[in-house]
Amino acid sequence: MIELDAEQQQARDWFERLRDRICASFESIEREAASEAKFDYLEWFRDDDASGNSGGGVRGVMKGKVFEKVGVNVSTVGGAFAPEFAPSIHGAGENPNFFATGISLVAHMSNPHVPAVHMNCRFLVTTKRWFGGGADLNPALPKNEDTADFHAAMERACAASPTGDYPRFKQWAEDYFWLPHRKVHRGVGGIFYDHMEGDFDANFALTRALGEAFLDSYPMIVRRRMATPFTEAEEQALLEWRGRYAEFNLVYDRGTSFGLKTGGNIDAILMSLPPRATWS
Amino acid sequence: MIELDAEQQQARDWFERLRDRICASFESIEREAASEAKFDYLEWFRDDDASGNSGGGVRGVMKGKVFEKVGVNVSTVGGAFAPEFAPSIHGAGENPNFFATGISLVAHMSNPHVPAVHMNCRFLVTTKRWFGGGADLNPALPKNEDTADFHAAMERACAASPTGDYPRFKQWAEDYFWLPHRKVHRGVGGIFYDHMEGDFDANFALTRALGEAFLDSYPMIVRRRMATPFTEAEEQALLEWRGRYAEFNLVYDRGTSFGLKTGGNIDAILMSLPPRATWS
């Protein structure tokens, strides 16, 4: 068992409440589409293994009519980074002990006109304490209106906290969600930030504002597009686009590589992969 | 233009003839299945760019009835490895100049009872000169008879040359085609070898024997299974299995990583990815 201090507990509780609200919101979209789909939850533990790591999480997955596959993980873990990884982690170079709590979400949508989305936020403690987070929109068939609405929501999130910096976080997302081998962005961007340390209250407010902005914007975009008719060619474009998404996550995504190489929960780490994809 | 010495030319000519024979063999299988599918060939060049690299290749792809997607690349390139890569290449630590000629093939099959297959052989010249190669069988639904026949063919290939060493090459394939994050092999193995230098004639004979063993065994296995009826669940197993195959190629395969990071021809590098895959 991990003992949480007051900040760790606040962060974890908020991530879990955010998960509940997101899942309820997505299930209500399914009901509007005359589907009974609900999230299935699977709890996993990683208790007191040889490295002294412990904790666990809950993997939630819904396979519905509008949401072809959406996964939401919350996890709270602690222990010590392996010696070969510790130096690459902020504040863990001299002392490998860590605590991490976070939420991550990826939604792959049935209708090629509805963008896929990714959202993730986390609170990390080593010899430093910081928040990281981000959200990016991933349409196979981009629409200016959706992109503008999503970016505006992320800009409002940044404005909600003195430590928010929209231009910098937007650029960070553009730099990060990039496939160098194809010289294309993974999607139409959003925000990304990391190592937000110092003022816990301000950075927690930033992270909460990201979660609220996600809830304000993404369900609205889904509802706007979910009934749009689509052709076979548009569905094929979606499946090709998902191939690019899988390439990004397997080749470049730091969280995925880190998880695979440190023996994390495979199903949780690879939850982001698309339910169907093609490489023509 | 690259000037080839006598050994380079012999190797390249043999790889190109092997390609012609394989493509003819696969097209004749399609005809037996009442399909008119043929390979499409796309020539690509990489001439005299800033790094002085030159050469090119031909990418052949067939999308047929039995062969859902099969790609065969031959390429012959030369130049200088980038300084950050040269030290990791056999014989290129002090002098980055290289020449490479080779063939690579990946077949993804429509019927889940027909195994996918990979075959690759190459002749490399740096300050060293060597052959490398291998072939492995990748069934979604393994069958002992197919595995035994494929392994027996690879064993005969190794016996055809004084430098062949079946137990070592078989183990090398087992070690290489392994997904550590899932703790499973990619397929049922075959052989893998690299850095076979010294006796050109013997190592070229080994490499030719690998090509012949492939032609002797794989089309026979395809014909044995291509008419087997399959269920929807078996097709689903194929698509799930292909997800694992894509994970291996994108996360671990040295050729893929090397190609992506050195700006190679993307379509040729990623030709190995499955036409359809699922992650449930």
Side-chain angles (χ1 to χ4, degrees):
Chain A
M1 282 294 297
I2 306 176
E3 292 201 12
L4 280 68
D5 64 30
E7 291 178 355
Q8 292 168 348
Q9 193 137 6
Q10 278 182 72
R12 184 201 62 185
D13 290 352
W14 192 80
F15 294 142
E16 294 187 352
R17 280 202 308 276
L18 178 65
R19 185 266 320 275
D20 294 342
R21 291 168 62 205
I22 289 172
C23 292
S25 163
F26 289 0
E27 288 177 354
S28 78
I29 291 175
E30 284 291 322
R31 285 195 299 274
E32 290 164 31
S35 144
E36 301 283 306
K38 297 238 167 222
F39 276 87
D40 281 327
Y41 296 101
L42 185 73
E43 212 169 349
W44 56 271
F45 298 94
R46 195 182 172 188
D47 267 337
D48 302 309
D49 62 13
S51 59
N53 290 330
S54 66
V58 177
R59 189 162 77 92
V61 178
M62 178 170 73
K63 294 180 184 174
K65 191 166 161 185
V66 180
F67 290 84
E68 185 174 331
K69 175 182 162 194
V70 50
V72 188
N73 290 325
V74 291
S75 64
T76 300
V77 295
F81 288 120
E84 61 274 30
F85 287 101
S88 67
I89 306 294
H90 191 56
E94 316 232 307
N95 175 342
N97 291 336
F98 78 98
F99 166 88
T101 182
I103 179 172
S104 70
L105 175 155
V106 173
H108 290 286
M109 311 302 287
S110 306
N111 186 316
H113 296 293
V114 182
V117 78
H118 154 257
M119 192 274 296
N120 168 243
C121 34
R122 56 200 171 274
F123 179 56
L124 268 287
V125 179
T126 58
T127 61
K128 316 271 186 184
R129 306 174 74 89
W130 75 95
F131 283 94
D136 70 311
L137 198 68
N138 294 278
L141 305 168
K143 277 118 176 110
N144 292 338
E145 187 187 10
D146 297 349
T147 304
D149 286 345
F150 190 79
H151 285 182
M154 295 299 136
E155 187 166 12
R156 284 195 302 276
C158 294
S161 161
T163 54
D165 183 343
Y166 180 64
R168 180 169 158 243
F169 297 168
K170 180 175 191 283
Q171 186 62 49
W172 203 334
E174 278 177 28
D175 296 343
Y176 183 70
F177 297 113
W178 170 252
L179 274 85
H181 64 276
R182 295 191 184 269
K183 299 185 176 61
V184 294
H185 284 101
R186 175 173 97 166
V188 297
I191 62 172
F192 190 94
Y193 59 87
D194 206 0
H195 304 156
M196 298 297 290
E197 55 188 313
D199 186 340
F200 175 87
D201 290 334
N203 292 323
F204 188 28
L206 168 67
T207 298
R208 290 198 311 269
L210 165 62
E212 299 296 339
F214 176 81
L215 265 173
D216 280 349
S217 58
Y218 186 65
M220 180 264 288
I221 293 169
V222 174
R223 287 188 171 93
R224 179 190 287 160
R225 304 293 174 195
M226 63 196 247
T228 309
F230 59 89
T231 65
E232 206 171 301
E234 286 166 336
E235 184 169 32
Q236 193 55 36
L238 172 67
L239 298 178
E240 287 286 330
W241 176 87
R242 285 182 180 171
R244 307 297 89 80
Y245 192 90
E247 286 173 23
F248 179 86
N249 283 29
L250 290 169
V251 181
Y252 300 107
D253 187 66
R254 292 185 309 179
T256 304
S257 316
F258 186 84
L260 293 181
K261 285 166 189 177
T262 53
N265 182 290
I266 293 303
D267 293 325
I269 297 164
L270 297 182
M271 175 202 74
S272 65
L273 293 175
R276 293 178 295 149
T278 64
W279 282 271
S280 68
Chain B
M1 281 296 296
I2 306 175
E3 293 201 11
L4 280 68
D5 65 29
E7 290 178 356
Q8 292 168 349
Q9 193 138 4
Q10 278 183 72
R12 185 201 62 184
D13 290 352
W14 192 80
F15 294 141
E16 292 185 353
R17 280 202 310 276
L18 179 65
R19 184 267 320 275
D20 294 342
R21 292 169 60 204
I22 289 173
C23 291
S25 161
F26 288 0
E27 288 176 354
S28 79
I29 291 175
E30 284 291 321
R31 285 196 299 275
E32 291 164 30
S35 146
E36 301 284 305
K38 295 236 169 228
F39 276 86
D40 281 326
Y41 296 99
L42 185 73
E43 212 169 350
W44 57 271
F45 298 94
R46 194 181 171 188
D47 265 339
D48 301 310
D49 62 14
S51 60
N53 291 330
S54 65
V58 177
R59 188 161 77 92
V61 178
M62 179 169 71
K63 294 179 185 176
K65 191 166 160 185
V66 180
F67 290 82
E68 185 173 331
K69 176 181 164 196
V70 49
V72 188
N73 290 325
V74 290
S75 64
T76 300
V77 295
F81 288 119
E84 62 274 29
F85 285 103
S88 68
I89 305 294
H90 191 55
E94 315 231 309
N95 176 344
N97 292 335
F98 78 98
F99 165 88
T101 183
I103 178 171
S104 70
L105 175 155
V106 173
H108 289 287
M109 311 303 287
S110 306
N111 186 317
H113 296 294
V114 182
V117 78
H118 155 258
M119 192 274 296
N120 167 244
C121 34
R122 55 201 171 275
F123 179 55
L124 269 287
V125 178
T126 58
T127 61
K128 315 272 186 183
R129 307 174 73 89
W130 76 94
F131 283 95
D136 70 311
L137 198 67
N138 294 278
L141 305 168
K143 278 123 175 102
N144 291 338
E145 187 185 9
D146 298 348
T147 304
D149 286 345
F150 191 79
H151 284 182
M154 294 300 135
E155 186 166 11
R156 284 194 302 274
C158 294
S161 160
T163 54
D165 183 343
Y166 179 64
R168 182 169 157 242
F169 298 168
K170 179 174 191 284
Q171 185 62 48
W172 203 334
E174 277 177 29
D175 295 343
Y176 183 71
F177 298 112
W178 170 251
L179 275 87
H181 64 276
R182 294 191 184 270
K183 299 184 176 63
V184 294
H185 284 101
R186 175 173 97 167
V188 297
I191 62 171
F192 190 94
Y193 60 87
D194 206 0
H195 303 156
M196 299 298 291
E197 56 188 313
D199 185 341
F200 176 87
D201 290 334
N203 292 322
F204 188 28
L206 168 67
T207 298
R208 291 198 310 270
L210 165 61
E212 300 296 340
F214 176 81
L215 266 172
D216 280 348
S217 57
Y218 186 65
M220 179 265 288
I221 292 169
V222 174
R223 288 188 170 94
R224 180 189 288 160
R225 304 292 174 195
M226 63 195 247
T228 308
F230 59 89
T231 64
E232 207 171 300
E234 286 166 335
E235 183 168 35
Q236 194 54 35
L238 172 67
L239 298 178
E240 288 286 328
W241 177 87
R242 285 181 180 171
R244 307 297 91 79
Y245 192 90
E247 287 173 23
F248 179 86
N249 283 29
L250 290 169
V251 181
Y252 300 107
D253 187 65
R254 291 187 308 181
T256 304
S257 317
F258 186 82
L260 294 180
K261 285 165 189 175
T262 53
N265 182 291
I266 293 302
D267 293 326
I269 296 163
L270 297 182
M271 175 203 76
S272 65
L273 293 175
R276 295 177 295 151
T278 64
W279 282 272
S280 66

